[in-house]
Amino acid sequence: MATEVARPRLLEPLARRFDLRLITVEAGAGFGKTTLLAQAAAENRLAPRGLDAWLTCEPSDSSAPVLLDAVLRAIDARPVEGPPDVHHVCEAIWSAAPQHVCVMLDDAHHIEAGSTGEAALQQLLDDLPLNGHLVVAARRLPELSRSRLVVLRQVLALTDHELALERAESVALAARHSVAADVVQRAGGWPALAELYGRLGTAEARRFVWEEVVAPLDEAARNAFLFLVAVGGADADAVAVATGAPVDGSRLAALPLVAVDDRAGLRPHALWEELLLDRIDPVFAATARRSLAEALAARGQHGAAFELLAATASWDRALEVLFEACNDIDRPVWPDQMLRWARLVPGPLRHRPEVAYLRGTLARAGDAWSDVARDAFAEAVVGFHARGDSYREILATVRATQVAWLQGDRDTVKRTHDRGMELLAEGWPIAALLALNRAGVADIDGRTADVLAETASLDDLEPRLQYLPPLLRVFGRLAAGDADAADDDARAAATAMAAADAPTGTAAAAATGFETACIPAAVAWASGDLRRALSYPLDDPGPRQSLAERVPTIALGAIVAAHLGDVARAAALVADIDVLVPELGQRHLLRGYRAVAGAALAVARGDEDAAARELASCLDGHALAPATTGRAVRWFPSLPYLLYEPARVVLDEIPSAPARERTLDVCRALLAARGGGAWSPPAALDDPEALLTMLPAALAAELVARAAADHARSGIETISGLASLAPDATRRSLQAVASNAPEPVAAAARTLLATVPIPPAHSVRIEVLGPPRLLVDGQAVSDATWRRQRVRQLMCALVAHVEIRRERLGVLLWPDFDEAGVSANLRVTLAYVQSLLEPQRGRGHAPWFLQQSGGVLRLAGGDRLTVDAWEFEAHLDSAAAASESGAPSIELDHLLQALALWRGDYLDELAGEEWAEPLRERMRSRFVTAAVRAGELLVAASRSTEAIRVADAALAADRWCEAAYVLRARAHAAAGDNDAARRDLESAEFRSLELGIAPGPH
């Protein structure tokens, strides 16, 4: 039963059945499949577009001969001798041409999977003649391979989602039955159920659902479905384990209002609980939930198991499972999940250690420095110890120790080690954990050698802790300034953390302050490998991560951005930190990262005094301990060393391995150069990429200029490298030094600015296919300078030659002038062009887009310069390569992209110039040839309209092109316009005769 009201939004797709090869309608009982097909057939009888051949399938149609014979009879075809096959059906359909025939199969779920009937239906779909179409309606569709039809856009699928009543339809149905709209809307969009609610009320609806949907199931499927509704949903395997009987998941999934989630779980609509209210008693439901909970817990789905047990108030078992859920390796727990679990636990149970453990895990996920996190874990440890539950005491102690380590709380970490020794003596296998504990104490103390020794052979840790040995070694090496030796451990730690996929609150990252990408990025940065550091994402990991993870990651991203002169990005990242942690309080680890990030931003803005204040405001009064406030200082030492005296004292006192020593050498050189003392250029001055990891671009450029002045170093290659990576910061720094530094440093900066082209902030596009256009950052230039004809002509000449000697360019543009006149005009016009290309370029600074070397002018610009003519020829070259490799679809794509660039003749501004005409003719010829070839491929692809359009474009460029007329004729013929095709062929012949050429074969 389903509503008989016509639904235009569904009839309209069905009306397309005479245009498509296949339409499928798949939905459960009572969704109106048969009604919909009947209404569509009735509409067709009123204004026929073809013949509908209707067949209601039966189980006997699983036999191919039976099915095909019934289809032939539905078509009203003549009977055949012997068993019919698909060929007979196709012949019958074809014989009806030009009339279209649509075979409509209703209740096709009666055709059994794997039967000859199903195979015949697939073959019929494959072999349908051009005037044949197929509509298949079923509760579960037969197997039909339709990927080819999907690609050709010849298939349409309607499901229960489309067939479900929309709100407006439910309201209309309620009005038709004179009942309140909410009565009908309770049906969840199920048409038959809505009709019953409207007509007869709840009792009849329940009877209908039981008799029409549930009762016809076999006993095993019926029992499984009742179980599924009782527990609120699960996957078929879990139901089978819980019930002890096999379950046909596909059969249950085909029932109305049963969804399948992305993990293949079966989710009955909440409406089913109401519909089966008198079939599922509370005792059965509670038992079902407990059974499913045990099945889920047995396979590690502790979170889902806890929620089922909580629903049945089985609290002793529920809290055991809750503890396991908080430590789940395969299904990580996020804070919002834990918060919901905490709310499920009744107040009288809040004293249980499992609940305290949950509170600590949840608190640490948000803020590992909170008193709640510290006290909750301590309470859990005490509770498990009092209960004699050493297993859970050990796990809770591990989590408590991680918080203490993050806080730099040496005493607590040491006390847990002492208790661990007692448990070890009792026979618990925790020697590896105790070694980690000792390594943690050594890390807090800054004893790198002991960290390495304690973690040297820890191979038997559980998966959740396998990241810790390599990570501790990374921390130890970075604390010692030995980033060069930390790379392998960084990759190992990141790999282990990613494999564990641990959540916030129980993750390695939450415990250590670093997310997976940040660990190897920090090592790469500290070792001077800029490219590798930039290959890692250093954005905010997101609100599901803890402060201990988010802040260091964001801070490193801000430091990297600031060193490269990206002030906007660095400012945004520092602002993110300040939103996350408006008050640093006792979060000493975060102080160091915020200090260095803020200082880097201030230097990028050109304000070193503000950078010094940033460092002082965060670090004054705090010991720069290696595992807390001083961690960032040791890892990213340059700005603390340059601008914060206490940090300089610490960094000078502690031993530094080669990686940090290289950075400190650079910093000491800059301080000495500024102070007028003796200094030697550090080796990093020859490696601009490494130099940018040691100093922000502004300070790096200054040091290069000082080396040029004090040690007669060229600095050109280094400034070129800096400019390629941080152009704005490099330019600003050299300009500041040139303006403010004493001679000869200022002179060295001016020389570098005049010698090294530095990329501007804007992009330029030059278009010469058609009337010339100049665009700066996408905006067309139309000022008085661009309106000068000689300026446009010079630009066109530069595009045409790319590189040209200055004298040659002058002669081309001013052939009638003497040498002095040519030189004067060229000099003035070049100045105009330079002002258009780089309006903000400083006086005497090396140009970027139009460069000159040895009397040769060259149009350059890298990715900041694009030219339509260059793109045009590149696409044509790529098209030719694709043609040679036998890839016509790729060839066509490149051809169409090239044609789209053509606005008119090449170098239009130079029309009539003798030297330019061969270039113009060559480009026009390439365009016409490409258009004809593209048109041929479009005709072959049945895209006649587009083919006509490109043929017209070819003729607009060359009205004598016979091939273009022939192409247009073929395209019109393919589109069915034979008269137009004939006229095109006549035009082709006429043009040939006008030229005195015999017409070619068409």
Side-chain angles (χ1 to χ4, degrees):
M1 168 186 276
T3 174
E4 300 294 327
V5 177
R7 301 162 73 189
R9 68 178 178 85
L10 295 176
L11 288 175
E12 288 176 8
L14 262 293
R16 296 177 57 200
R17 64 189 181 279
F18 295 108
D19 301 320
L20 301 171
R21 302 292 281 171
L22 172 67
I23 294 179
T24 61
V25 185
E26 184 178 24
F31 271 87
K33 301 180 297 298
T34 301
T35 299
L36 180 60
L37 266 59
Q39 290 175 344
E43 292 284 313
N44 186 53
R45 286 194 294 272
L46 292 175
R49 295 187 58 214
L51 170 66
D52 283 321
W54 179 300
L55 173 64
T56 300
C57 295
E58 300 173 352
S60 59
D61 290 318
S62 297
S63 165
V66 173
L67 174 64
L68 297 174
D69 181 65
V71 171
L72 285 171
R73 283 187 278 108
I75 299 173
D76 200 19
R78 289 180 299 176
V80 299
E81 295 184 7
D85 58 22
V86 171
H87 175 72
H88 293 123
V89 174
C90 291
E91 274 193 338
I93 294 173
W94 182 248
S95 64
Q99 180 176 228
H100 287 257
V101 177
C102 180
V103 177
M104 304 177 76
L105 300 181
D106 192 22
D107 288 348
H109 48 269
H110 288 305
I111 301 174
E112 295 178 1
S115 67
T116 58
E118 184 182 65
L121 184 58
Q122 176 64 65
Q123 186 181 349
L124 175 61
L125 177 60
D126 292 339
D127 297 349
L128 275 174
L130 291 177
N131 66 320
H133 313 273
L134 188 61
V135 173
V136 182
R139 297 181 184 181
R140 297 185 313 282
L141 287 174
E143 186 66 33
L144 293 173
S145 299
R146 41 193 160 161
S147 56
R148 178 178 60 86
L149 296 178
V150 171
V151 172
L152 296 174
R153 299 182 180 178
Q154 283 291 299
V155 62
L156 173 68
L158 300 176
T159 67
D160 53 4
H161 179 74
E162 287 79 24
L163 268 62
L165 294 175
E166 294 182 344
R167 179 178 178 82
E169 292 170 331
S170 294
V171 170
L173 182 61
R176 180 169 172 244
H177 291 299
S178 301
V179 298
D182 62 346
V183 172
V184 171
Q185 288 169 1
R186 284 167 50 204
W190 187 353
L193 194 60
E195 186 78 26
L196 281 171
Y197 276 156
R199 285 188 191 180
L200 305 173
T202 303
E204 286 301 321
R206 289 177 181 167
R207 184 176 297 111
F208 163 80
V209 168
W210 180 259
E211 293 176 355
E212 295 295 326
V213 179
V214 183
L217 298 172
D218 60 61
E219 184 178 3
R222 187 165 57 249
N223 290 339
F225 186 59
L226 291 173
F227 183 96
L228 192 68
V229 173
V231 299
D235 63 88
D237 291 341
V239 174
V241 171
T243 60
V247 174
D248 183 353
S250 62
R251 182 72 185 91
L252 300 183
L255 295 175
L257 299 185
V258 176
V260 180
D261 62 26
D262 57 358
R263 295 186 178 182
L266 302 167
R267 304 294 170 193
H269 192 287
L271 180 63
W272 277 109
E273 292 185 33
E274 176 186 331
L275 295 173
L276 298 177
L277 189 63
D278 53 357
R279 306 283 176 174
I280 301 175
D281 64 53
V283 174
F284 173 81
T287 302
R289 289 181 180 128
R290 284 192 290 268
S291 299
L292 179 61
E294 294 301 334
L296 294 176
R299 67 183 193 186
Q301 292 179 248
H302 299 103
F306 166 73
E307 296 200 19
L308 286 167
L309 291 165
T312 63
S314 305
W315 287 112
D316 286 342
R317 178 60 177 146
L319 293 183
E320 292 178 357
V321 173
L322 173 64
F323 184 84
E324 298 301 326
C326 289
N327 294 284
D328 203 317
I329 301 170
D330 299 320
R331 295 166 183 83
V333 185
W334 299 107
D336 50 356
Q337 292 173 284
M338 290 187 287
L339 184 59
R340 188 177 70 253
W341 293 348
R343 290 169 178 164
L344 291 176
V345 178
L349 298 178
R350 297 293 171 88
H351 67 284
R352 299 280 285 269
E354 294 90 347
V355 183
Y357 185 86
L358 173 64
R359 284 200 306 276
T361 306
L362 182 57
R364 188 181 67 178
D367 185 354
W369 290 268
S370 70
D371 293 340
V372 173
R374 181 196 62 209
D375 296 344
F377 281 127
E379 180 183 343
V381 170
V382 170
F384 288 129
H385 177 72
R387 185 193 291 174
D389 188 342
S390 297
Y391 165 72
R392 290 183 175 82
E393 179 191 351
I394 291 169
L395 288 181
T397 299
V398 169
R399 304 298 176 242
T401 303
Q402 288 176 338
V403 169
W405 173 36
L406 182 64
Q407 296 174 338
D409 184 352
R410 187 185 192 281
D411 292 341
T412 297
V413 178
K414 183 65 173 61
R415 280 197 302 273
T416 60
H417 179 271
D418 296 340
R419 171 56 182 157
M421 293 299 292
E422 296 175 6
L423 292 167
L424 181 67
E426 294 174 11
W428 286 94
I430 57 172
L433 291 177
L434 294 176
L436 283 177
N437 187 288
R438 291 191 295 274
V441 173
D443 179 66
I444 292 172
D445 292 343
R447 293 180 282 111
T448 298
D450 291 340
V451 171
L452 300 180
E454 292 291 354
T455 59
S457 57
L458 295 179
D459 301 323
D460 57 345
L461 290 167
E462 62 166 304
R464 282 168 296 189
L465 300 178
Q466 286 175 359
Y467 71 91
L468 271 171
L471 190 69
L472 279 165
R473 290 193 291 272
V474 169
F475 280 25
R477 293 189 190 280
L478 288 178
D482 195 14
D484 299 340
D487 193 48
D488 289 343
D489 282 324
R491 282 197 294 266
T495 299
M497 290 166 65
D501 193 26
T504 299
T506 62
T512 63
F514 270 86
E515 64 102 22
T516 309
C518 194
I519 298 166
V523 168
W525 185 260
S527 63
D529 191 340
L530 176 67
R531 299 286 176 178
R532 189 155 53 86
L534 293 176
S535 69
Y536 297 100
L538 294 173
D539 298 309
D540 183 355
R544 280 193 157 187
Q545 313 303 324
S546 72
L547 292 179
E549 178 175 3
R550 296 175 74 180
V551 171
T553 304
I554 299 170
L556 178 54
I559 293 167
V560 172
H563 273 235
L564 297 179
D566 190 344
V567 175
R569 175 169 170 74
L573 291 171
V574 171
D576 286 345
I577 295 175
D578 291 339
V579 169
L580 288 174
V581 195
E583 296 292 337
L584 287 167
Q586 298 303 308
R587 304 174 184 90
H588 300 303
L589 176 72
L590 303 190
R591 283 186 173 276
Y593 291 109
R594 174 59 181 83
V596 179
L601 172 60
V603 170
R605 286 173 166 161
D607 192 342
E608 290 186 30
D609 290 339
R613 290 194 297 272
E614 286 280 351
L615 291 163
S617 67
C618 290
L619 303 180
D620 273 357
H622 297 274
L624 300 181
T628 53
T629 315
R631 195 185 289 283
V633 170
R634 286 165 172 77
W635 290 16
F636 314 117
S638 58
L639 294 182
Y641 190 90
L642 289 170
L643 302 172
Y644 187 61
E645 180 67 26
R648 189 181 310 161
V649 171
V650 169
L651 290 167
D652 280 337
E653 287 178 351
I654 63 175
S656 288
R660 187 165 62 221
E661 194 61 32
R662 291 194 296 268
T663 298
L664 296 183
D665 283 346
V666 168
C667 295
R668 290 164 183 148
L670 180 60
L671 289 173
R674 284 180 168 182
W679 65 286
S680 299
L685 282 183
D686 295 323
D687 187 346
E689 292 190 5
L691 185 60
L692 279 176
T693 66
M694 302 172 190
L695 290 178
L699 301 184
E702 177 192 342
L703 184 59
V704 173
R706 291 183 178 278
D710 296 350
H711 297 278
R713 293 172 60 94
S714 154
I716 291 175
E717 290 187 4
T718 304
I719 289 295
S720 296
L722 295 178
S724 69
L725 294 162
D728 294 339
T730 301
R731 181 189 299 105
R732 288 196 303 270
S733 176
L734 290 177
Q735 289 172 335
V737 173
S739 300
N740 303 320
E743 299 290 346
V745 177
R750 288 193 293 272
T751 299
L752 289 169
L753 283 168
T755 307
V756 179
I758 298 178
H762 63 273
S763 63
V764 166
R765 180 170 180 80
I766 304 171
E767 296 181 350
V768 294
L769 296 174
R773 295 207 310 163
L774 176 67
L775 298 96
V776 176
D777 280 341
Q779 298 297 314
V781 174
S782 60
D783 62 12
T785 301
W786 179 247
R787 290 197 294 272
R788 293 174 178 269
Q789 184 181 32
R790 285 302 189 190
V791 168
R792 299 194 302 273
Q793 288 180 335
L794 189 146
M795 194 79 79
C796 289
L798 289 169
V799 167
H801 291 91
V802 185
E803 287 187 359
I804 185 170
R805 293 200 65 80
R806 187 184 179 102
E807 296 84 355
R808 171 65 176 158
L809 178 61
V811 170
L812 291 179
L813 294 180
W814 293 278
D816 300 327
F817 283 55
D818 60 20
E819 183 177 346
V822 168
S823 177
N825 279 281
L826 181 59
R827 183 173 59 255
V828 171
T829 307
L830 282 173
Y832 282 135
V833 170
Q834 294 284 22
S835 70
L836 287 170
L837 294 175
E838 296 181 69
Q840 280 79 43
R841 184 168 61 91
R843 182 178 179 83
H845 295 184
W848 174 255
F849 292 110
L850 180 53
Q851 300 174 11
Q852 182 175 194
S853 177
V856 175
L857 291 166
R858 183 169 66 92
L859 197 58
D863 59 2
R864 284 175 167 79
L865 174 67
T866 58
V867 179
D868 62 348
W870 300 353
E871 293 174 352
F872 176 82
E873 297 214 86
H875 279 303
L876 294 189
D877 292 344
S878 296
S883 176
E884 291 179 6
S885 63
S889 62
I890 297 175
E891 177 190 5
L892 177 58
D893 182 59
H894 281 295
L895 289 172
L896 292 177
Q897 290 187 66
L899 299 181
L901 294 168
W902 189 269
R903 297 179 297 110
D905 276 342
Y906 179 51
L907 303 180
D908 186 66
E909 195 68 36
L910 296 170
E913 296 289 340
E914 183 178 351
W915 67 269
E917 283 306 315
L919 303 177
R920 285 162 44 78
E921 182 55 38
R922 172 184 170 276
M923 195 72 85
R924 184 186 303 114
S925 176
R926 292 202 76 182
F927 171 75
V928 172
T929 301
V932 171
R933 174 58 178 164
E936 292 169 348
L937 293 173
L938 288 167
V939 170
S942 300
R943 296 161 64 179
S944 302
T945 302
E946 295 173 79
I948 294 169
R949 190 159 53 244
V950 298
D952 288 342
L955 289 169
D958 182 3
R959 67 190 186 92
W960 304 100
C961 181
E962 180 185 0
Y965 284 110
V966 173
L967 167 63
R968 195 164 66 174
R970 290 175 178 168
H972 276 129
D977 191 347
N978 292 328
D979 290 340
R982 185 166 47 255
R983 289 193 298 272
D984 288 328
L985 290 176
E986 291 171 353
S987 296
E989 294 175 1
F990 176 74
R991 297 299 183 193
S992 297
L993 292 173
E994 276 191 316
L995 293 171
I997 301 172
H1002 308 312

